[in-house]
Amino acid sequence: MNRSAARGFLAFLLSVPVLQGNDDWRVTYSSSNVCALRGATVAISCTYEYPDNVQYRPNTVRTLWLTKGDTYQPVDLEHDTDYRVHVESSCGEVRCTRSRCHGTCTLRIKDLRQSDSDVYRFSFTKKQPDGEYTGDPGVTLSVTDGPKHISVLSSPSGGIKEGSSVTLSCSSDANPAAEYTWFKNNQPLLWEPPHTFPSVRPEDRGTYRCHAENKYGHLSSNSIFLNVTSGIHKTPSVTVSPSGEIEEGSSVTLSCSSDANPAAEYTWFKEHEDSVKELGQNYTITNITSELGGNYYCQSEAHS
């Protein structure tokens, strides 16, 4: 159950005509049922006809729309406190040809509320005996909301290793069913939900969300971060600055890097020593002495 949600939406009933009446009096509704979005404007139309009895001219016709209760306890919408602020009706001029008179009327209900869900009937009267007629059973109006809930899920969730299979699914409470648009880092994707990565890659890492839309509204989901970790972790590389020979009393910085995704944690050791020298990607040694000389190495550890 359009894109502009409730604001400014106008629903016209263009369904197969529904005829109510007998051979002499008749009301033809443009539809017997209509579903509209809360907050929108709906237009319900009908035509009516009756015999042109010359002896009762002038044929002054009074028209009104009725709802609430049954046909024996109708309510004039334009004079009812629950409706008169957001209801208006308009009727065309009555025309009589070949002993029949015809008229048209339209009821517009603005800023629809859930309480407006009801059966609406058109009634007209004229100055002659038994000159009143109400078209039954009328038009059933159902007021609903657009999508109110939408979510996107990843299976599996959390850190996902490169090469594994991942499915992103999107769901909503849209009625009728919604059409979905997927986004990665706010860029639209040509996907249909659910979407499966048979073998996820590091470049698939990013923020995903979906957008649900039907003719009665639209809604965007929460965002989910697809964290793809590298399936193969290569040996970290070590560099030294400044390079070349190092003079006693100077400083030197050792740097460690790896292809870990997400970023690794680094620990520095000196060869033949068990104690940790430094934590972090860089290890700076100041005031170099001969005792500090030797082979240094780093260990990287990535958490999936």
Side-chain angles (χ1 to χ4, degrees):
M1 282 181 39
N2 198 331
R3 180 163 303 188
S4 59
R7 297 177 294 275
F9 179 77
L10 179 61
F12 289 99
L13 310 185
L14 299 174
S15 303
V16 177
V18 180
L19 305 179
Q20 307 293 340
N22 52 40
D23 291 340
D24 294 326
W25 300 72
R26 177 174 294 175
V27 173
T28 304
Y29 296 103
S30 54
S31 176
S32 60
N33 292 277
V34 63
C35 188
L37 179 67
R38 181 168 57 89
T41 295
V42 67
I44 303 174
S45 299
C46 75
T47 60
Y48 63 96
E49 57 183 277
Y50 56 90
D52 180 17
N53 296 320
V54 177
Q55 65 268 34
Y56 295 112
R57 289 185 177 179
N59 259 333
T60 302
V61 176
R62 177 175 179 265
T63 62
L64 69 159
W65 287 88
L66 313 171
T67 189
K68 289 186 178 180
D70 55 35
T71 55
Y72 303 103
Q73 295 177 325
V75 173
D76 182 352
L77 294 184
E78 292 191 298
H79 295 88
D80 183 77
T81 55
D82 291 338
Y83 287 94
R84 62 189 180 193
V85 174
H86 69 303
V87 164
E88 61 180 29
S89 65
S90 58
C91 296
E93 181 182 354
V94 175
R95 298 181 181 276
C96 299
T97 58
R98 296 181 181 178
S99 75
R100 301 290 293 173
C101 295
H102 307 264
T104 61
C105 280
T106 298
L107 175 72
R108 283 183 171 81
I109 308 175
K110 301 174 290 185
D111 193 22
L112 282 170
R113 304 166 297 192
Q114 291 288 351
S115 59
D116 294 324
S117 296
D118 212 324
V119 177
Y120 293 82
R121 299 180 298 275
F122 177 76
S123 180
F124 65 99
T125 60
K126 58 192 298 291
K127 292 181 178 180
Q128 70 179 64
D130 300 322
E132 180 176 344
Y133 184 79
T134 299
D136 289 317
V139 177
T140 300
L141 172 65
S142 300
V143 180
T144 186
D145 285 309
K148 294 181 290 185
H149 171 76
I150 182 173
S151 63
V152 58
L153 300 174
S154 171
S155 178
S157 59
I160 300 166
K161 289 192 176 294
E162 179 182 358
S164 61
S165 177
V166 181
T167 297
L168 296 179
S169 59
C170 190
S171 62
S172 75
D173 61 355
N175 184 16
E179 294 183 357
Y180 295 95
T181 304
W182 282 92
F183 293 83
K184 177 186 179 183
N185 300 331
N186 292 324
Q187 298 300 312
L189 301 168
L190 298 177
W191 287 359
E192 292 290 337
H195 180 78
T196 298
F197 300 91
S199 179
V200 72
R201 301 169 298 176
E203 53 264 38
D204 295 323
R205 190 169 184 257
T207 300
Y208 293 84
R209 64 179 175 88
C210 68
H211 181 90
E213 182 175 337
N214 64 16
K215 65 178 181 178
Y216 292 100
H218 56 87
L219 192 66
S220 286
S221 74
N222 57 302
S223 296
I224 189 168
F225 183 69
L226 191 64
N227 187 15
V228 181
T229 62
S230 177
I232 301 175
H233 183 41
K234 298 179 182 179
T235 302
S237 59
V238 177
T239 58
V240 59
S241 178
S243 58
E245 294 186 359
I246 301 170
E247 296 182 358
E248 188 172 359
S250 63
S251 298
V252 65
T253 297
L254 307 179
S255 298
C256 190
S257 63
S258 72
D259 63 347
N261 185 6
E265 295 180 357
Y266 299 95
T267 306
W268 287 94
F269 298 92
K270 183 179 181 182
E271 192 175 26
H272 307 305
E273 293 184 12
D274 294 331
S275 61
V276 174
K277 292 298 182 182
E278 184 67 72
L279 297 175
Q281 189 169 3
N282 300 316
Y283 174 27
T284 298
I285 306 173
T286 59
N287 195 21
I288 295 291
T289 63
S290 57
E291 290 81 8
L292 295 174
N295 295 321
Y296 291 81
Y297 66 94
C298 77
Q299 175 180 298
S300 67
E301 183 178 1
H303 298 278
S304 60

